[in-house]
Amino acid sequence: MTKPTRTSSLHTHLFLSLLLISHANSQSLQDQEQAVLLKLKSYLQSPPFLSHWIPSTSNTSHCSWQPEITCTNNSVTGLSLFNTNITLPVPPFICDLKNLSLIDLSYNYFAGEFQKAFYNCSKLQYLNLSQNSLDGKIPDDIDSLPRLQYLDLGANYFSGDILAAIRRLKELRNLQLWMNQFNGSVPPEIGNLSNLKDLNLSYNTDLVPWNLPSNFTWLKKLKTLYIRGSNLIGELPGTLGEMAALEQLDLAYN
Ligand SMILES: *[C@@H]1O[C@H](CO)[C@@H](O)[C@H](O)[C@H]1NC(C)=O
Ligand SMILES: *[C@@H]1O[C@H](CO)[C@@H](O)[C@H](O)[C@H]1NC(C)=O
Ligand SMILES: *[C@@H]1O[C@H](CO)[C@@H](O)[C@H](O)[C@H]1NC(C)=O
Ligand SMILES: *[C@@H]1O[C@H](CO)[C@@H](O)[C@H](O)[C@H]1NC(C)=O
Ligand SMILES: *[C@@H]1O[C@H](CO)[C@@H](O)[C@H](O)[C@H]1NC(C)=O
Ligand SMILES: *[C@@H]1O[C@H](CO)[C@@H](O)[C@H](O)[C@H]1NC(C)=O
Ligand SMILES: *[C@@H]1O[C@H](CO)[C@@H](O)[C@H](O)[C@H]1NC(C)=O
Ligand SMILES: *[C@@H]1O[C@H](CO)[C@@H](O)[C@H](O)[C@H]1NC(C)=O
Ligand SMILES: *[C@@H]1O[C@H](CO)[C@@H](O)[C@H](O)[C@H]1NC(C)=O
Ligand SMILES: *[C@@H]1O[C@H](CO)[C@@H](O)[C@H](O)[C@H]1NC(C)=O
């Protein structure tokens, strides 16, 4: 008679343990996110604009650290440090916040190369690094961010080629590469980004002179195409008129 009782009490015990473990796990995940944010605050040398990032025992309190933090289901999904005068390299541990889908670091003085640390943000959809002091090449494994929909690298000092690897970012809607120091070529493969709605390559005056590839006219969802002052030469492709969605076209100063 004792056997069934022992089994069921063992089950109950197991069940309670699992419950406790799963609770402890989510608790420690929240604590871990808060710890990463506090590490970020200290990395940024505790600037006055982050004085409201105050640690608390309540595990999701960092979700109220507005406007910099956005949470979804009590987990950090957005980090916005827009226009805050930061002059450091991008924090290499930024993607210890595993659930980030939005990173906006625009209008700062972030320096150094494009950080592969971003690749650890496997859910990243929106990356805005515009108006900074980043340089070097766009890495050829940038397609390690397959969910990217918005990529803004405008107004930096990136150089080299605009890499064909970009064509594998199939979800891209908006690609902003304006005002950099690209001194190589533009890949016709950009024409394969079938979801693209906005493309801005303006003010890349160091590009090797290039023809607008007919492949670009495959971009059937493209609404804005800006290639002002970027060394375009030759003729425009005869199929330009087939870009049915196109609303704005700026090819001035070429
Ligand atoms: C900690 O977070 C978990 C999961 O979000 C939640 O169930 C729990 O109530 C939180 N505990 C405290 C003390 O805020
Ligand atoms: C948030 O939680 C709800 C309910 O559990 C779920 O349906 C939704 O997919 C979650 N959202 C994210 C972004 O994880
Ligand atoms: C990230 O989101 C998933 C699903 O929404 C959730 O299970 C997980 O706990 C979150 N991660 C952290 C670090 O909170
Ligand atoms: C950035 O610097 C400008 C000029 O010094 C200043 O007016 C502004 O308040 C600073 N912004 C922040 C977030 O510290
Ligand atoms: C991604 O995170 C893992 C574990 O935290 C770390 O070992 C690795 O160096 C990170 N990768 C990059 C590219 O930062
Ligand atoms: C990036 O941020 C800047 C400044 O807020 C904004 O003008 C720009 O539209 C953003 N880029 C994208 C692709 O949303
Ligand atoms: C392109 O610019 C980079 C950075 O200024 C430079 O190192 C490189 O030699 C240039 N390449 C060419 C082909 O001019
Ligand atoms: C660009 O289009 C031409 C035909 O118009 C094609 O032969 C070529 O393979 C395409 N290039 C790429 C990189 O897709
Ligand atoms: C580009 O798209 C065309 C037509 O969809 C396809 O045949 C070609 O293989 C693609 N090229 C690349 C380089 O992805
Ligand atoms: C794109 O390029 C144009 C010039 O063609 C520039 O005036 C504009 O500010 C750029 N768009 C964005 C969203 O930055």
Side-chain angles (χ1 to χ4, degrees):
M1 276 313 289
T2 54
K3 208 175 174 188
T5 316
R6 279 176 62 191
T7 312
S8 80
S9 102
L10 185 64
H11 277 161
T12 311
H13 184 76
L14 253 179
F15 178 70
L16 281 175
S17 307
L18 285 175
L19 255 185
L20 282 173
I21 288 168
S22 90
H23 181 78
N25 264 346
S26 75
Q27 173 107 30
S28 69
L29 280 172
Q30 312 304 322
D31 287 350
Q32 187 217 329
E33 285 193 336
Q34 189 169 116
V36 176
L37 290 171
L38 291 170
K39 183 174 166 189
L40 178 62
K41 178 178 177 180
S42 132
Y43 175 89
L44 300 174
Q45 294 151 8
S46 303
F49 76 93
L50 292 183
S51 58
H52 60 296
W53 285 23
I54 299 165
S56 148
T57 47
S58 160
N59 58 15
T60 58
S61 64
H62 53 274
C63 288
S64 65
W65 294 352
Q66 309 281 345
E68 298 85 14
I69 302 303
T70 314
C71 283
T72 310
N73 291 349
N74 286 336
S75 180
V76 178
T77 52
L79 174 66
S80 181
L81 297 171
F82 155 83
N83 197 12
T84 50
N85 299 333
I86 301 166
T87 57
L88 297 158
V90 171
F93 54 87
I94 192 167
C95 288
D96 289 354
L97 298 164
K98 299 263 178 239
N99 280 344
L100 281 178
S101 65
L102 178 152
I103 298 177
D104 183 358
L105 304 180
S106 61
Y107 287 87
N108 282 292
Y109 306 92
F110 279 108
E113 303 205 333
F114 186 96
Q115 287 264 1
K116 297 198 180 204
F118 288 126
Y119 299 165
N120 266 349
C121 285
S122 59
K123 300 179 181 174
L124 197 59
Q125 295 184 335
Y126 180 101
L127 179 58
N128 196 337
L129 302 175
S130 67
Q131 309 276 356
N132 275 293
S133 306
L134 299 167
D135 60 16
K137 296 180 175 181
I138 297 182
D140 58 9
D141 53 358
I142 191 158
D143 55 321
S144 305
L145 291 169
R147 296 200 189 183
L148 268 192
Q149 295 187 9
Y150 299 86
L151 177 61
D152 194 342
L153 303 179
N156 278 287
Y157 304 111
F158 288 111
S159 60
D161 292 322
I162 294 173
L163 287 163
I166 277 185
R167 78 168 180 278
R168 290 191 292 268
L169 297 174
K170 288 287 177 205
E171 299 298 321
L172 270 188
R173 270 79 169 149
N174 192 329
L175 178 59
Q176 303 286 325
L177 299 175
W178 51 281
M179 212 187 284
N180 274 284
Q181 295 180 349
F182 294 114
N183 51 357
S185 59
V186 179
E189 285 90 342
I190 284 181
N192 272 42
L193 292 171
S194 56
N195 289 309
L196 207 58
K197 289 184 178 159
D198 301 281
L199 175 61
N200 197 337
L201 299 170
S202 291
Y203 306 122
N204 281 301
T205 52
D206 298 334
L207 281 172
V208 172
W210 57 302
N211 290 291
L212 187 66
S214 61
N215 310 50
F216 276 34
T217 66
W218 299 345
L219 297 169
K220 296 302 180 210
K221 294 184 183 168
L222 201 68
K223 287 187 170 172
T224 63
L225 177 58
Y226 298 132
I227 316 182
R228 175 181 280 245
S230 292
N231 249 346
L232 273 183
I233 56 166
E235 296 184 357
L236 296 177
T239 47
L240 199 61
E242 292 169 18
M243 301 179 74
L246 200 59
E247 291 172 0
Q248 300 196 38
L249 177 65
D250 184 357
L251 305 177
Y253 299 98
N254 281 294

